[in-house]
Structures are given as structure tokens and as C-alpha cells.
Amino acid sequence: MIIELLVGAAAGFVSGCGVGGGTLLLLYLTAVVGVAQRTAAGINLLYFICCSPTALLLHFRRRTVQWRQVWPAALGGAVTAAFAAWGTVYIPTDWLRRGFGVILIYIAFRCLQPAFRRRK
């Protein structure tokens, strides 16, 4: 129970920063606890519903939401999320895990890339 609270707090911190704490939660659930990928995705979505309104309210108050970027991204995300949720029923769990792993490796590479650039 304590570890789950700490993982939830860490994911909440990352979510509040707008980075996507669900990734941390998914990693914990699948790699440490051994929860199936589809089940972890459902838990992550419920977690997101609980945590995102608080962070979003604070971002609204600070006026950091830029509506010109929100609407196209939200529309594309909603359509793609519906398609992906429907499609995961037909995609083998191993493929989902591998795809998620590839995405994480790509994100890590992109985040670390500036650290390896030569400074002038």
C-alpha cells in the first residue's frame, strides 16, 4: 500500500508537470506488479481521470493553456484513442508491450539527445 501511494505520488508529480505520469504508472504496474498490459492501461485511464482535473485547473489559472494547439491535438487524440482502445482487443499483448517499449526508448533518446550535442 505504501509503495503504491509513493508510485501514485510520483506519477502525480510528473503528471502535474504535464509530462505524462501515466508512463511511470504503466511501467510500475506491468514491470513490477505484473499486471497485464490491457489492465494496466485501464487503471492508468482511471488514474488520469482522477489526477488531470487538478493539474488542468492550475494550468488554466496560470494561463498556460494555448487553445490554438489544444483543439487540433484533442480532436486527433480523441479519434486515435477510440481507435486504439478498440484495436487493443485484437492486438496481442506482446505486441502492445513491445510497441510501448519502443516508444519509451525513442522518448528517452530524444530527451537525452541535447546532452550529447557539442557545445560551441
Side-chain angles (χ1 to χ4, degrees), residues 23-72:
T23 302
L24 179 63
L25 186 61
L26 278 171
L27 286 173
Y28 171 74
L29 289 171
T30 57
V32 177
V33 180
V35 174
Q37 185 78 25
R38 289 183 183 100
T39 304
I43 293 168
N44 181 53
L45 290 170
L46 287 173
Y47 173 85
F48 181 75
I49 289 171
C50 296
C51 294
S52 64
T54 305
L56 187 57
L57 178 64
L58 293 171
H59 282 282
F60 277 144
R61 287 186 177 172
R62 292 188 180 140
R63 300 180 194 266
T64 57
V65 178
Q66 295 181 355
W67 293 104
R68 285 188 178 163
Q69 285 78 31
V70 169
W71 295 118

